[in-house]
PDB file of all heavy atoms in Angstrom:
ATOM      1  N   GLY A   1      -0.633   6.655   7.546  1.00 98.00           N
ATOM      2  CA  GLY A   1       0.658   7.267   7.750  1.00 98.00           C
ATOM      3  C   GLY A   1       0.902   8.372   6.756  1.00 98.00           C
ATOM      4  O   GLY A   1      -0.017   8.857   6.070  1.00 98.00           O
ATOM      5  N   LEU A   2       2.152   8.788   6.683  1.00 98.00           N
ATOM      6  CA  LEU A   2       2.567   9.839   5.771  1.00 98.00           C
ATOM      7  C   LEU A   2       3.142   9.220   4.520  1.00 98.00           C
ATOM      8  O   LEU A   2       4.015   8.339   4.573  1.00 98.00           O
ATOM      9  CB  LEU A   2       3.613  10.731   6.428  1.00 98.00           C
ATOM     10  CG  LEU A   2       4.262  11.808   5.572  1.00 98.00           C
ATOM     11  CD1 LEU A   2       3.227  12.838   5.127  1.00 98.00           C
ATOM     12  CD2 LEU A   2       5.372  12.502   6.352  1.00 98.00           C
ATOM     13  N   VAL A   3       2.691   9.649   3.383  1.00 98.00           N
ATOM     14  CA  VAL A   3       3.147   9.123   2.095  1.00 98.00           C
ATOM     15  C   VAL A   3       3.258  10.277   1.100  1.00 98.00           C
ATOM     16  O   VAL A   3       2.490  11.255   1.155  1.00 98.00           O
ATOM     17  CB  VAL A   3       2.224   8.002   1.590  1.00 98.00           C
ATOM     18  CG1 VAL A   3       0.841   8.578   1.270  1.00 98.00           C
ATOM     19  CG2 VAL A   3       2.813   7.305   0.394  1.00 98.00           C
ATOM     20  N   GLN A   4       4.199  10.156   0.187  1.00 98.00           N
ATOM     21  CA  GLN A   4       4.363  11.181  -0.860  1.00 98.00           C
ATOM     22  C   GLN A   4       3.304  10.993  -1.964  1.00 98.00           C
ATOM     23  O   GLN A   4       2.790   9.895  -2.155  1.00 98.00           O
ATOM     24  CB  GLN A   4       5.737  11.095  -1.479  1.00 98.00           C
ATOM     25  CG  GLN A   4       6.887  11.469  -0.517  1.00 98.00           C
ATOM     26  CD  GLN A   4       8.242  11.466  -1.183  1.00 98.00           C
ATOM     27  OE1 GLN A   4       8.359  11.158  -2.373  1.00 98.00           O
ATOM     28  NE2 GLN A   4       9.263  11.794  -0.421  1.00 98.00           N
ATOM     29  N   PRO A   5       2.958  12.085  -2.658  1.00 98.00           N
ATOM     30  CA  PRO A   5       2.050  11.945  -3.782  1.00 98.00           C
ATOM     31  C   PRO A   5       2.545  10.877  -4.766  1.00 98.00           C
ATOM     32  O   PRO A   5       3.726  10.794  -5.064  1.00 98.00           O
ATOM     33  CB  PRO A   5       2.080  13.327  -4.418  1.00 98.00           C
ATOM     34  CG  PRO A   5       2.361  14.246  -3.298  1.00 98.00           C
ATOM     35  CD  PRO A   5       3.363  13.482  -2.445  1.00 98.00           C
ATOM     36  N   GLY A   6       1.623  10.069  -5.237  1.00 98.00           N
ATOM     37  CA  GLY A   6       1.976   8.946  -6.106  1.00 98.00           C
ATOM     38  C   GLY A   6       2.241   7.663  -5.383  1.00 98.00           C
ATOM     39  O   GLY A   6       2.353   6.612  -6.023  1.00 98.00           O
ATOM     40  N   GLY A   7       2.398   7.717  -4.072  1.00 98.00           N
ATOM     41  CA  GLY A   7       2.659   6.549  -3.285  1.00 98.00           C
ATOM     42  C   GLY A   7       1.431   5.727  -2.972  1.00 98.00           C
ATOM     43  O   GLY A   7       0.329   6.052  -3.426  1.00 98.00           O
ATOM     44  N   SER A   8       1.638   4.689  -2.179  1.00 98.00           N
ATOM     45  CA  SER A   8       0.563   3.752  -1.867  1.00 98.00           C
ATOM     46  C   SER A   8       0.491   3.492  -0.397  1.00 98.00           C
ATOM     47  O   SER A   8       1.511   3.541   0.322  1.00 98.00           O
ATOM     48  CB  SER A   8       0.762   2.452  -2.590  1.00 98.00           C
ATOM     49  OG  SER A   8       0.707   2.609  -4.013  1.00 98.00           O
ATOM     50  N   LEU A   9      -0.675   3.193   0.098  1.00 98.00           N
ATOM     51  CA  LEU A   9      -0.921   2.698   1.462  1.00 98.00           C
ATOM     52  C   LEU A   9      -1.945   1.592   1.394  1.00 98.00           C
ATOM     53  O   LEU A   9      -2.857   1.634   0.546  1.00 98.00           O
ATOM     54  CB  LEU A   9      -1.409   3.815   2.364  1.00 98.00           C
ATOM     55  CG  LEU A   9      -0.393   4.872   2.824  1.00 98.00           C
ATOM     56  CD1 LEU A   9      -1.138   5.981   3.580  1.00 98.00           C
ATOM     57  CD2 LEU A   9       0.661   4.261   3.711  1.00 98.00           C
ATOM     58  N   ARG A  10      -1.858   0.686   2.326  1.00 98.00           N
ATOM     59  CA  ARG A  10      -2.867  -0.352   2.482  1.00 98.00           C
ATOM     60  C   ARG A  10      -3.481  -0.234   3.885  1.00 98.00           C
ATOM     61  O   ARG A  10      -2.792  -0.480   4.880  1.00 98.00           O
ATOM     62  CB  ARG A  10      -2.271  -1.737   2.289  1.00 98.00           C
ATOM     63  CG  ARG A  10      -3.317  -2.844   2.216  1.00 98.00           C
ATOM     64  CD  ARG A  10      -2.687  -4.221   2.332  1.00 98.00           C
ATOM     65  NE  ARG A  10      -3.586  -5.296   1.956  1.00 98.00           N
ATOM     66  CZ  ARG A  10      -3.353  -6.566   2.257  1.00 98.00           C
ATOM     67  NH1 ARG A  10      -2.276  -6.944   2.919  1.00 98.00           N
ATOM     68  NH2 ARG A  10      -4.254  -7.498   1.869  1.00 98.00           N
ATOM     69  N   LEU A  11      -4.733   0.112   3.935  1.00 98.00           N
ATOM     70  CA  LEU A  11      -5.440   0.216   5.190  1.00 98.00           C
ATOM     71  C   LEU A  11      -6.133  -1.094   5.511  1.00 98.00           C
ATOM     72  O   LEU A  11      -6.596  -1.814   4.632  1.00 98.00           O
ATOM     73  CB  LEU A  11      -6.503   1.321   5.132  1.00 98.00           C
ATOM     74  CG  LEU A  11      -6.014   2.735   4.740  1.00 98.00           C
ATOM     75  CD1 LEU A  11      -7.180   3.697   4.829  1.00 98.00           C
ATOM     76  CD2 LEU A  11      -4.829   3.152   5.595  1.00 98.00           C
ATOM     77  N   SER A  12      -6.189  -1.385   6.811  1.00 98.00           N
ATOM     78  CA  SER A  12      -6.863  -2.602   7.252  1.00 98.00           C
ATOM     79  C   SER A  12      -7.958  -2.207   8.243  1.00 98.00           C
ATOM     80  O   SER A  12      -7.803  -1.269   9.040  1.00 98.00           O
ATOM     81  CB  SER A  12      -5.872  -3.552   7.950  1.00 98.00           C
ATOM     82  OG  SER A  12      -4.902  -4.009   7.068  1.00 98.00           O
ATOM     83  N   CYS A  13      -9.048  -2.935   8.221  1.00 97.00           N
ATOM     84  CA  CYS A  13     -10.119  -2.800   9.175  1.00 97.00           C
ATOM     85  C   CYS A  13     -10.344  -4.156   9.799  1.00 97.00           C
ATOM     86  O   CYS A  13     -10.869  -5.064   9.161  1.00 97.00           O
ATOM     87  CB  CYS A  13     -11.382  -2.298   8.491  1.00 97.00           C
ATOM     88  SG  CYS A  13     -12.860  -2.219   9.572  1.00 97.00           S
ATOM     89  N   ALA A  14      -9.881  -4.314  11.022  1.00 97.00           N
ATOM     90  CA  ALA A  14     -10.009  -5.586  11.739  1.00 97.00           C
ATOM     91  C   ALA A  14     -11.203  -5.578  12.665  1.00 97.00           C
ATOM     92  O   ALA A  14     -11.374  -4.685  13.457  1.00 97.00           O
ATOM     93  CB  ALA A  14      -8.739  -5.834  12.516  1.00 97.00           C
ATOM     94  N   ALA A  15     -12.043  -6.614  12.548  1.00 95.00           N
ATOM     95  CA  ALA A  15     -13.251  -6.721  13.320  1.00 95.00           C
ATOM     96  C   ALA A  15     -13.129  -7.788  14.385  1.00 95.00           C
ATOM     97  O   ALA A  15     -12.518  -8.854  14.147  1.00 95.00           O
ATOM     98  CB  ALA A  15     -14.429  -7.028  12.436  1.00 95.00           C
ATOM     99  N   SER A  16     -13.675  -7.517  15.559  1.00 94.00           N
ATOM    100  CA  SER A  16     -13.777  -8.511  16.615  1.00 94.00           C
ATOM    101  C   SER A  16     -15.135  -8.375  17.285  1.00 94.00           C
ATOM    102  O   SER A  16     -15.728  -7.287  17.322  1.00 94.00           O
ATOM    103  CB  SER A  16     -12.639  -8.326  17.632  1.00 94.00           C
ATOM    104  OG  SER A  16     -12.698  -7.044  18.251  1.00 94.00           O
ATOM    105  N   GLY A  17     -15.626  -9.492  17.834  1.00 92.00           N
ATOM    106  CA  GLY A  17     -16.916  -9.491  18.469  1.00 92.00           C
ATOM    107  C   GLY A  17     -18.083  -9.253  17.491  1.00 92.00           C
ATOM    108  O   GLY A  17     -19.151  -8.838  17.881  1.00 92.00           O
ATOM    109  N   LEU A  18     -17.803  -9.544  16.233  1.00 88.00           N
ATOM    110  CA  LEU A  18     -18.736  -9.271  15.150  1.00 88.00           C
ATOM    111  C   LEU A  18     -18.606 -10.367  14.106  1.00 88.00           C
ATOM    112  O   LEU A  18     -17.485 -10.713  13.735  1.00 88.00           O
ATOM    113  CB  LEU A  18     -18.455  -7.884  14.566  1.00 88.00           C
ATOM    114  CG  LEU A  18     -19.246  -7.294  13.424  1.00 88.00           C
ATOM    115  CD1 LEU A  18     -19.156  -5.786  13.475  1.00 88.00           C
ATOM    116  CD2 LEU A  18     -18.711  -7.801  12.087  1.00 88.00           C
ATOM    117  N   ASN A  19     -19.713 -10.893  13.635  1.00 88.00           N
ATOM    118  CA  ASN A  19     -19.680 -11.927  12.589  1.00 88.00           C
ATOM    119  C   ASN A  19     -19.561 -11.226  11.240  1.00 88.00           C
ATOM    120  O   ASN A  19     -20.518 -10.878  10.601  1.00 88.00           O
ATOM    121  CB  ASN A  19     -20.986 -12.756  12.666  1.00 88.00           C
ATOM    122  CG  ASN A  19     -20.929 -13.921  11.697  1.00 88.00           C
ATOM    123  OD1 ASN A  19     -19.852 -14.364  11.279  1.00 88.00           O
ATOM    124  ND2 ASN A  19     -22.109 -14.455  11.400  1.00 88.00           N
ATOM    125  N   LEU A  20     -18.320 -11.023  10.859  1.00 90.00           N
ATOM    126  CA  LEU A  20     -18.054 -10.203   9.679  1.00 90.00           C
ATOM    127  C   LEU A  20     -18.772 -10.645   8.409  1.00 90.00           C
ATOM    128  O   LEU A  20     -19.182  -9.790   7.635  1.00 90.00           O
ATOM    129  CB  LEU A  20     -16.528 -10.157   9.433  1.00 90.00           C
ATOM    130  CG  LEU A  20     -16.070  -9.128   8.389  1.00 90.00           C
ATOM    131  CD1 LEU A  20     -16.397  -7.718   8.858  1.00 90.00           C
ATOM    132  CD2 LEU A  20     -14.581  -9.266   8.140  1.00 90.00           C
ATOM    133  N   PRO A  21     -18.955 -11.933   8.130  1.00 91.00           N
ATOM    134  CA  PRO A  21     -19.704 -12.337   6.933  1.00 91.00           C
ATOM    135  C   PRO A  21     -21.096 -11.788   6.816  1.00 91.00           C
ATOM    136  O   PRO A  21     -21.646 -11.795   5.734  1.00 91.00           O
ATOM    137  CB  PRO A  21     -19.713 -13.880   6.987  1.00 91.00           C
ATOM    138  CG  PRO A  21     -18.483 -14.204   7.786  1.00 91.00           C
ATOM    139  CD  PRO A  21     -18.404 -13.125   8.827  1.00 91.00           C
ATOM    140  N   ASN A  22     -21.651 -11.290   7.923  1.00 93.00           N
ATOM    141  CA  ASN A  22     -23.003 -10.726   7.907  1.00 93.00           C
ATOM    142  C   ASN A  22     -23.007  -9.223   7.601  1.00 93.00           C
ATOM    143  O   ASN A  22     -24.076  -8.621   7.519  1.00 93.00           O
ATOM    144  CB  ASN A  22     -23.693 -10.934   9.229  1.00 93.00           C
ATOM    145  CG  ASN A  22     -24.047 -12.399   9.460  1.00 93.00           C
ATOM    146  OD1 ASN A  22     -24.134 -13.180   8.547  1.00 93.00           O
ATOM    147  ND2 ASN A  22     -24.264 -12.729  10.743  1.00 93.00           N
ATOM    148  N   TYR A  23     -21.856  -8.636   7.413  1.00 95.00           N
ATOM    149  CA  TYR A  23     -21.748  -7.206   7.289  1.00 95.00           C
ATOM    150  C   TYR A  23     -21.077  -6.735   6.028  1.00 95.00           C
ATOM    151  O   TYR A  23     -20.039  -7.276   5.610  1.00 95.00           O
ATOM    152  CB  TYR A  23     -20.994  -6.599   8.515  1.00 95.00           C
ATOM    153  CG  TYR A  23     -21.756  -6.732   9.808  1.00 95.00           C
ATOM    154  CD1 TYR A  23     -21.616  -7.861  10.615  1.00 95.00           C
ATOM    155  CD2 TYR A  23     -22.631  -5.761  10.199  1.00 95.00           C
ATOM    156  CE1 TYR A  23     -22.315  -7.988  11.788  1.00 95.00           C
ATOM    157  CE2 TYR A  23     -23.348  -5.842  11.397  1.00 95.00           C
ATOM    158  CZ  TYR A  23     -23.191  -6.966  12.167  1.00 95.00           C
ATOM    159  OH  TYR A  23     -23.904  -7.080  13.340  1.00 95.00           O
ATOM    160  N   ALA A  24     -21.644  -5.712   5.422  1.00 96.00           N
ATOM    161  CA  ALA A  24     -20.907  -4.916   4.474  1.00 96.00           C
ATOM    162  C   ALA A  24     -19.990  -3.993   5.260  1.00 96.00           C
ATOM    163  O   ALA A  24     -20.278  -3.607   6.377  1.00 96.00           O
ATOM    164  CB  ALA A  24     -21.882  -4.074   3.611  1.00 96.00           C
ATOM    165  N   ILE A  25     -18.892  -3.655   4.626  1.00 97.00           N
ATOM    166  CA  ILE A  25     -17.924  -2.719   5.240  1.00 97.00           C
ATOM    167  C   ILE A  25     -17.682  -1.542   4.324  1.00 97.00           C
ATOM    168  O   ILE A  25     -17.331  -1.740   3.172  1.00 97.00           O
ATOM    169  CB  ILE A  25     -16.585  -3.398   5.597  1.00 97.00           C
ATOM    170  CG1 ILE A  25     -16.809  -4.536   6.613  1.00 97.00           C
ATOM    171  CG2 ILE A  25     -15.595  -2.364   6.134  1.00 97.00           C
ATOM    172  CD1 ILE A  25     -17.244  -4.081   7.985  1.00 97.00           C
ATOM    173  N   GLY A  26     -17.867  -0.356   4.855  1.00 97.00           N
ATOM    174  CA  GLY A  26     -17.569   0.848   4.092  1.00 97.00           C
ATOM    175  C   GLY A  26     -16.360   1.555   4.637  1.00 97.00           C
ATOM    176  O   GLY A  26     -16.087   1.509   5.857  1.00 97.00           O
ATOM    177  N   TRP A  27     -15.653   2.209   3.776  1.00 98.00           N
ATOM    178  CA  TRP A  27     -14.534   3.083   4.142  1.00 98.00           C
ATOM    179  C   TRP A  27     -14.975   4.534   3.888  1.00 98.00           C
ATOM    180  O   TRP A  27     -15.522   4.837   2.824  1.00 98.00           O
ATOM    181  CB  TRP A  27     -13.277   2.791   3.333  1.00 98.00           C
ATOM    182  CG  TRP A  27     -12.513   1.570   3.765  1.00 98.00           C
ATOM    183  CD1 TRP A  27     -12.590   0.337   3.250  1.00 98.00           C
ATOM    184  CD2 TRP A  27     -11.579   1.519   4.853  1.00 98.00           C
ATOM    185  NE1 TRP A  27     -11.739  -0.495   3.931  1.00 98.00           N
ATOM    186  CE2 TRP A  27     -11.085   0.194   4.911  1.00 98.00           C
ATOM    187  CE3 TRP A  27     -11.087   2.462   5.775  1.00 98.00           C
ATOM    188  CZ2 TRP A  27     -10.195  -0.207   5.852  1.00 98.00           C
ATOM    189  CZ3 TRP A  27     -10.160   2.035   6.711  1.00 98.00           C
ATOM    190  CH2 TRP A  27      -9.726   0.706   6.750  1.00 98.00           C
TER     191      TRP A  27
END
């Protein structure tokens, strides 16, 4: 989203159809 300098955001990466414990995740 839109945020002012100095602000914060929390991004999420939701996985489906994938055994997440087997994967590293990069942003």
Side-chain angles (χ1 to χ4, degrees):
L2 175 64
V3 64
Q4 294 184 359
S8 297
L9 287 172
R10 189 193 194 196
L11 305 184
S12 297
C13 175
S16 62
L18 179 155
N19 187 20
L20 192 62
N22 290 340
Y23 291 90
I25 298 293
W27 283 97

